[in-house]
Amino acid sequence: AVVSTQSTGDPSLRLQERVFPNMMGRNTSKFKYSSCRFKVQKKKEGTGRIVMWQQMGILNSFTMEATFAGYNNVHFNTRDLEDMGYHFCDTLLDYCDPDPSKVEHV
């Protein structure tokens, strides 16, 4: 799951911050977009992603969380984590591709 900031005011920013996690969910079944949260909790205001968003205006600042317990009662192993890294990098390449069709598809 990804935990992100929640942009207030401009609805287009709220959509923009959800594009990368949505693309990640499309690239691998091990990442669940439906488990992502896009709210700022009071107790998390001092975390790096919140500070980067509030003080520096960085919209796409995420925390990717994983659990050893895995999902659907299947434990993650080293290969699963390596696959997630691969899919993260692949999604990042798609997100930054000069051809906007991959991002517009979302």
Side-chain angles (χ1 to χ4, degrees):
V2 164
V3 181
S4 176
T5 57
Q6 179 180 2
S7 298
T8 56
D10 188 348
S12 67
L13 292 179
R14 281 198 309 271
L15 293 176
Q16 187 178 353
E17 70 185 3
R18 289 164 168 78
V19 171
F20 183 82
N22 189 294
M23 291 174 71
M24 183 80 172
R26 291 171 185 251
N27 281 347
T28 178
S29 63
K30 294 178 183 173
F31 182 88
K32 301 293 182 201
Y33 177 77
S34 61
S35 296
C36 294
R37 296 185 309 266
F38 297 94
K39 293 186 179 187
V40 176
Q41 297 174 335
K42 183 81 171 156
K43 65 183 179 181
K44 301 287 186 178
E45 288 181 349
T47 62
R49 67 183 169 82
I50 303 300
V51 171
M52 297 301 279
W53 169 63
Q54 288 179 331
Q55 294 183 9
M56 300 183 81
I58 297 174
L59 182 64
N60 287 313
S61 181
F62 303 108
T63 301
M64 185 180 296
E65 299 176 348
T67 174
F68 178 72
Y71 67 102
N72 294 335
N73 297 321
V74 177
H75 291 282
F76 286 136
N77 59 34
T78 305
R79 184 70 192 149
D80 292 322
L81 299 174
E82 289 172 350
D83 285 347
M84 187 58 73
Y86 171 86
H87 288 296
F88 175 85
C89 292
D90 189 46
T91 302
L92 189 58
L93 286 172
D94 289 345
Y95 184 78
C96 296
D97 194 323
D99 176 8
S101 64
K102 293 177 182 176
V103 173
E104 290 172 352
H105 180 69
V106 174

